Amino acid sequence: MDHFHYLDRVLQAEEVPVPEIAAAVGTPFYLYSTATLRRHFTAFDQAFAGLDHLTCFAVKSCSNIAVLRLFAQLGGGADIVSGGELYRALTAGVDPARIVYSGVGKTKPEIRYALESGILMFNLESEQELVAVQECAAELKLTARVSFRVNPDVDPQTHAYISTGLAKNKFGIAIAEAGRVYRAARDLANIEIVGVSCHIGSQLTQVSPFIDTVAKLKDFLARLAGDGIEIKYLDIGGGLGIRYHQEEPPLPAEYGAAIREALGDLACTLILEPGRVIVGNAGILVTKVLFTKSGQKKFIVVDAGMNDLARPSLYDAHHGIIPVVKGEAGTEVADVVGPICETGDFLARGQEVPVAVPGELLAVQSAGAYGFTMSSNYNSRPRVAEVLVNGREFHLIRRRETYEDLIRGEAIPDFLK
Ligand SMILES: *Cc1c(COP(=O)(O)O)cnc(C)c1O
């Protein structure tokens, strides 16, 4: 459920008419709803009520510091994948004791920064990474709390680019090899083993791959216990999907119930790393129609492009497109394309979309996750504004970039002067 709805044919975000925001900030812009973010976070977190757990929001899905602050206020932690995300999380006020650091390629400066910040744990993905963390921790005379991300070889049945839990993917350590790595880690002076982690993929629409994974993790924990290695945290990652089009993903409550049952009486703190399921349907991208073209095919050229929302181009992802002001004209099948010089620059292809005329506003739905965070300056397009609605108010939480922002940090060397 989200808080975007029509009132007298005009799209509202909570209690604010979207055209009002467009008039104030210009287009395109990302628009998030506080009530929806709060509702989704709470519904997810409540699905694990009564169980010792920590919900660490996956920062990469939507990393604006205002959004991170909201989840921190709701008691959430953060799942980060870079030093930059650590900086964002700390700036937003996330408790470092609730931050887990995932990702396959952490650099030493990033590792030192995380150690000095006192994060909860590193989710390590290789023995070489373990050595790097041991070296940094020894230098700083600190102890690094670690878990290893194991790869359970489970098929998440999602898009190949966002499958991470198969043996052929670059992620984690094969579950059959992981025991040896844990035994090696036990002997290192500045390493404290605290967890086992896992993340099998994104936009999963069934619970069974999660359940298969939990079963494999439980077997693995029993084997570790046999070696005298006790685990405090079991991190099962994120990945729960949302409805973009016709998907019917399990509700957080169903997912939570299934995970609980699979865990049985396991005495660990459960860590969850949801991203998309919390923010995906809490945000839209508002764009303006520039031109329409009809030939062999109908094209609607809008002012947002693949640099602003990469998912359709990157994953062939479907995003619903709806009018901001509902007219009488109805819908038609068309391509909604951006201004970028690439044929791959589209927001929708051969999709039922509103019959639109230049100057009209359109809303691209389900754009809250992997929307702004994947945007770029390609074609030297300033990155768009981000706006957060709260009841009757709206707030600019990231101003639109300027042309000066585009060349910040660039320089013409002396020999060209
Ligand atoms: C991307 C990612 C997540 C979040 O995935 P969602 O599908 O957005 O829930 C969680 N954990 C790790 C390690 C990730 O890389």
Side-chain angles (χ1 to χ4, degrees):
M1 219 220 87
D2 62 58
H3 294 259
F4 298 100
H5 62 277
Y6 287 95
L7 184 67
D8 300 333
R9 309 182 81 85
V10 178
L11 185 66
Q12 319 278 311
E14 302 189 24
E15 292 164 63
V16 186
V18 173
E20 212 175 273
I21 306 170
V25 307
T27 57
F29 61 97
Y30 277 93
L31 178 57
Y32 312 109
S33 149
T34 306
T36 313
L37 292 167
R38 189 180 282 131
R39 183 191 176 99
H40 289 177
F41 182 91
T42 306
F44 188 92
D45 197 55
Q46 283 297 308
F48 298 92
L51 205 69
D52 189 6
H53 75 282
L54 179 59
T55 300
C56 293
F57 173 66
V59 172
K60 76 176 186 287
S61 63
C62 185
S63 56
N64 188 288
I65 57 172
V67 172
L68 301 182
R69 168 69 63 100
L70 173 68
F71 297 146
Q73 284 183 353
L74 296 171
D79 167 47
I80 58 164
V81 293
S82 69
E85 288 192 353
L86 176 56
Y87 179 72
R88 284 181 173 278
L90 294 175
T91 305
V94 179
D95 179 358
R98 291 171 176 256
I99 296 178
V100 297
Y101 189 172
S102 304
V104 73
K106 304 170 189 80
T107 65
K108 281 193 163 174
E110 289 177 314
I111 293 167
R112 286 188 207 105
Y113 179 28
L115 281 167
E116 286 173 327
S117 305
I119 64 163
L120 177 62
M121 69 178 185
F122 291 88
N123 290 343
L124 302 180
E125 303 219 8
S126 66
E127 255 182 295
Q128 289 179 11
E129 198 179 32
L130 169 67
V131 172
V133 170
Q134 161 59 32
E135 285 170 5
C136 292
E139 250 170 57
L140 296 170
K141 300 191 169 53
L142 293 169
T143 299
R145 286 173 294 275
V146 308
S147 88
F148 289 94
R149 175 172 177 173
V150 298
N151 184 323
D153 195 21
V154 167
D155 186 354
Q157 292 163 34
T158 182
H159 191 285
Y161 289 4
I162 50 177
S163 292
T164 55
L166 284 164
K168 67 180 179 190
N169 299 140
K170 73 177 175 183
F171 294 98
I173 297 170
I175 204 159
E177 314 245 316
R180 188 180 52 74
V181 181
Y182 271 87
R183 288 190 296 276
R186 186 169 54 178
D187 300 332
L188 297 179
N190 298 75
I191 298 290
E192 183 192 354
I193 298 170
V194 294
V196 170
S197 69
C198 193
H199 171 70
I200 57 171
S202 197
Q203 184 54 14
L204 273 72
T205 53
Q206 296 167 27
V207 287
S208 54
F210 290 116
I211 299 312
D212 295 349
T213 299
V214 169
K216 290 194 177 189
L217 291 174
K218 271 181 74 176
D219 283 351
F220 180 62
L221 288 176
R223 272 188 277 142
L224 284 182
D227 283 335
I229 299 172
E230 294 297 336
I231 294 302
K232 275 193 234 168
Y233 301 104
L234 179 62
D235 181 344
I236 60 168
L240 187 58
I242 63 168
R243 184 181 177 99
Y244 284 102
H245 189 207
Q246 283 160 343
E247 304 90 337
E248 306 247 340
L251 294 172
E254 293 164 344
Y255 166 77
I259 299 282
R260 267 169 205 267
E261 196 190 318
L263 287 173
D265 58 359
L266 199 70
C268 281
T269 299
L270 185 65
I271 295 182
L272 302 137
E273 302 173 346
R276 188 189 312 270
V277 68
I278 293 178
V279 292
N281 281 323
I284 60 175
L285 172 65
V286 179
T287 180
K288 190 166 71 184
V289 177
L290 298 175
F291 310 110
T292 59
K293 290 173 61 164
S294 332
Q296 220 180 56
K297 232 173 150 183
K298 174 79 187 268
F299 291 103
I300 300 172
V301 185
V302 297
D303 64 0
M306 65 187 283
N307 71 301
D308 303 308
L309 179 65
R311 297 190 69 261
S313 308
L314 193 57
Y315 310 122
D316 219 356
H318 178 104
H319 286 265
I321 297 187
I322 57 173
V324 167
V325 180
K326 267 190 195 167
E328 303 295 333
T331 61
E332 64 182 336
V333 173
D335 285 16
V336 177
V337 301
I340 295 201
C341 305
E342 300 259 355
T343 300
D345 176 29
F346 55 86
L347 300 179
R349 266 194 312 188
Q351 190 171 313
E352 197 77 16
V353 295
V355 175
V357 295
E360 216 176 313
L361 299 175
L362 297 175
V364 182
Q365 296 179 290
S366 314
Y370 307 101
F372 185 87
T373 56
M374 291 182 96
S375 68
S376 78
N377 292 120
Y378 187 41
N379 274 212
S380 286
R381 288 165 50 83
R383 278 182 299 167
V384 306
E386 290 179 286
V387 176
L388 182 65
V389 164
N390 183 36
R392 292 163 197 269
E393 305 166 0
F394 67 89
H395 302 272
L396 189 64
I397 57 171
R398 193 182 211 275
R399 64 166 173 77
R400 185 179 307 286
E401 286 180 346
T402 62
Y403 290 155
E404 291 76 44
D405 290 329
L406 287 179
I407 57 165
R408 176 158 302 138
E410 294 183 23
I412 295 172
D414 280 347
F415 81 93
L416 291 174
K417 283 180 183 161

